Amino acid sequence: MTSTPLSSLSLAILGLLSMQPMSGYDLRRIFTTTAMGRFSASPGAIYPALARLEFLKWTKPAPATSSSLRPRKAYMLTAAGRTALKEHLAEPVTREDIIWRLDHLLLRFSFMGLLPVEESRRFLLQLADGLGAYAHELQLQLDAFPDLAVPQPRLALAHGIESTLATARWARGAMQSLPPT
Amino acid sequence: MTSTPLSSLSLAILGLLSMQPMSGYDLRRIFTTTAMGRFSASPGAIYPALARLEFLKWTKPAPATSSSLRPRKAYMLTAAGRTALKEHLAEPVTREDIIWRLDHLLLRFSFMGLLPVEESRRFLLQLADGLGAYAHELQLQLDAFPDLAVPQPRLALAHGIESTLATARWARGAMQSLPPT
DNA sequence: TCCAACATGTAACTTGTTACATGATTAC
DNA sequence: GTAATCATGTAACAAGTTACATGTTGGA
C-alpha cells in the first residue's frame, strides 16, 4: 500500500493536531501569526483539508469543551492518523524531495519529536548527504555554464549552490545539537 | 492597470523566449536537463501555458525553419510580451515575495540582463534589505519561542533564519560582482 | 518495414486561490 | 441594540499533476 502523498498543508495540520486538538480557526491563527505561516491560511484551503482528513479517518471531532449554541469544531488525531503521520515522517529523504520540496522536508523535521531521536539523526544525515550531492551537481552545471553576455544567470545559479550548502551546514549543525542516543 | 500575476512557469517561458524562439518541447528539455528544472516540465503545464501566453498576445508563432509535414511550433515574444516581461522584472520586491516566492524572485533576477544593470542593483539591494528584516523577525520569534520538550521545532526555525541570511549574503555579494554603472 | 524517440496535445483530477455568505458572540 | 469580530463554510476559478492519445520522423 502506497501512502497517499501528503500535502504540506495536511502535514502541518496533522502535526499541529498531534500536539493538541484544534479548530480550523486555531490553525488559521497559527498560520497567520507564526513562522509556520509559510503554509497557507485561507479558509478555502483549511476547511476542505480538515474535511479530507476526517474523511480519511485520520482526525475526528474532539469533545466540545464549551456548551454554546455553536461550539467551535475542534479536531483531534485518531490512532490511524497518528500512525499515518509517523509513517510519513519516517519516509526516506529522496532527491526529488530535496530539489522540489525542501520546505516540506523542513516541515517534516519540525514534527519529528514524535519519533525516536535516531530517526531525526538519520533524516538529517540523509538530508546533508543529499544536499551535498545536489550542490555538487549544480557546481558542475555552473562550471559548464556558457559564458553569456550578462552575469545574472550565473549569479542565480550560484545562489542555488550557496543556499543548498547553507542548508547542508544547518543539517550537520542540527545533528550535533540533538541529544545523544 | 494591474498586471496579471505571472506564474513562475509563465515567467520562465517568457524569459527563455526572450533569448530565442523555442517550441514547447525545447522548453521541456531545458526544464528537465538544467537547473531551471525547478520549474515544472509536464506537458499538461507547458502547452496550456504557451496557449495562455499566445492568447494574451505576448507570444506568437515563429516563422517555421523547416518545411516538414508537421513543423515544430516555435514561439517568439511579441513587442507587447517583451514589454510585459520587462515590467514584471522591474516590479519592486515585496515582503510577500520574500516570504512566499523567493524562487520566483531568483527566477526574475536570472532574466534581469534585459534591463539596465542599475535595475539589478536596485533589486539586489531591496532583496538584501528585505531578507535582513525578515531574518530579524524570525530571530525575534525564535527568542520568544516556548521551550518545548523536543528540539526539532526550534531547529527548523533556526534553519529559516540561516537560510534567509545565506541568501542575503549572496545578494550582497552579487551586487559587488555586477559591473559598475 | 517497423520500432523507438520526437512532439504536441487533451482529460480527469487535485489542491490551492479570492471573494463571498452566514450565523454567533462580545463590547460598548 | 448594534456593530465589530469570531468562526465556519461555499462557489468560481486557476494552474498544476499524471496518464493517456495521436501523429511524425529517423534509424536498424
Side-chain angles (χ1 to χ4, degrees):
Chain A
M1 155 180 174
T2 61
S3 55
T4 306
L6 203 55
S7 75
S8 288
L9 178 56
S10 296
L11 171 58
I13 292 176
L14 282 181
L16 288 170
L17 292 185
S18 81
M19 305 198 273
Q20 55 175 304
M22 286 188 199
S23 68
Y25 195 75
D26 293 332
L27 291 164
R28 287 189 65 194
R29 207 143 27 72
I30 288 178
F31 291 146
T32 49
T33 60
T34 76
M36 299 243 341
R38 324 189 104 275
F39 307 97
S40 178
S42 66
I46 292 216
Y47 291 105
L50 281 170
R52 284 195 294 276
L53 292 173
E54 189 175 13
F55 177 81
L56 285 170
K57 305 257 192 273
W58 286 357
T59 64
K60 64 183 178 192
T65 56
S66 97
S67 52
S68 58
L69 272 184
R70 193 195 192 185
R72 291 154 72 267
K73 284 177 61 177
Y75 291 92
M76 58 185 294
L77 286 197
T78 62
R82 191 166 295 264
T83 301
L85 172 57
K86 286 183 182 177
E87 281 175 359
H88 178 74
L89 295 180
E91 277 172 17
V93 175
T94 68
R95 174 187 150 84
E96 284 67 42
D97 285 336
I98 285 177
I99 299 179
W100 297 91
R101 289 177 292 273
L102 191 55
D103 271 9
H104 190 85
L105 285 177
L106 267 294
L107 185 60
R108 272 173 62 181
F109 179 72
S110 73
F111 292 125
M112 273 194 198
L114 285 170
L115 304 180
V117 70
E118 300 89 69
E119 289 291 324
S120 290
R121 220 185 304 279
R122 194 178 49 75
F123 175 93
L124 289 172
L125 190 59
Q126 289 180 6
L127 183 58
D129 287 352
L131 287 164
Y134 184 51
H136 187 67
E137 279 177 50
L138 291 178
Q139 183 64 54
L140 292 179
Q141 283 200 34
L142 184 59
D143 294 340
F145 205 76
D147 220 339
L148 305 177
V150 292
Q152 288 87 353
R154 284 187 74 92
L155 287 170
L157 184 46
H159 172 265
I161 297 172
E162 290 179 32
S163 156
T164 301
L165 289 175
T167 299
R169 275 197 304 276
W170 167 84
R172 284 190 292 267
M175 264 197 294
Q176 301 302 318
S177 74
L178 287 180
T181 308
Chain B
M1 157 179 175
T2 61
S3 54
T4 307
L6 202 57
S7 76
S8 288
L9 178 57
S10 297
L11 172 58
I13 292 175
L14 282 181
L16 288 171
L17 292 185
S18 80
M19 306 200 271
Q20 55 175 305
M22 285 189 201
S23 68
Y25 195 76
D26 294 331
L27 292 164
R28 286 189 66 193
R29 207 144 26 74
I30 289 179
F31 291 147
T32 49
T33 61
T34 76
M36 299 240 344
R38 326 188 102 273
F39 306 98
S40 179
S42 67
I46 292 217
Y47 292 104
L50 281 170
R52 284 196 294 275
L53 293 174
E54 190 175 10
F55 177 82
L56 285 171
K57 304 257 192 272
W58 286 356
T59 63
K60 63 182 177 193
T65 56
S66 96
S67 55
S68 59
L69 273 184
R70 192 193 194 184
R72 290 154 71 265
K73 284 178 59 176
Y75 291 93
M76 58 184 294
L77 285 198
T78 61
R82 192 166 293 264
T83 301
L85 173 56
K86 287 184 182 178
E87 280 175 0
H88 179 73
L89 295 179
E91 277 171 17
V93 176
T94 68
R95 175 187 150 84
E96 284 68 42
D97 285 336
I98 286 177
I99 299 178
W100 296 92
R101 287 177 293 272
L102 191 55
D103 271 8
H104 190 86
L105 286 177
L106 267 294
L107 185 59
R108 272 174 60 182
F109 179 73
S110 72
F111 292 124
M112 273 193 198
L114 285 170
L115 304 180
V117 70
E118 300 89 70
E119 289 291 324
S120 290
R121 221 184 303 279
R122 195 178 48 74
F123 176 93
L124 289 172
L125 189 60
Q126 288 180 6
L127 182 58
D129 287 353
L131 287 164
Y134 184 51
H136 187 67
E137 279 177 49
L138 290 177
Q139 184 64 54
L140 292 178
Q141 283 200 34
L142 184 59
D143 294 341
F145 205 76
D147 221 339
L148 306 177
V150 291
Q152 288 86 352
R154 283 187 75 91
L155 287 170
L157 184 46
H159 171 265
I161 297 172
E162 291 178 30
S163 156
T164 301
L165 290 174
T167 299
R169 274 196 304 276
W170 167 84
R172 284 189 292 267
M175 265 199 291
Q176 301 302 318
S177 73
L178 286 180
T181 308

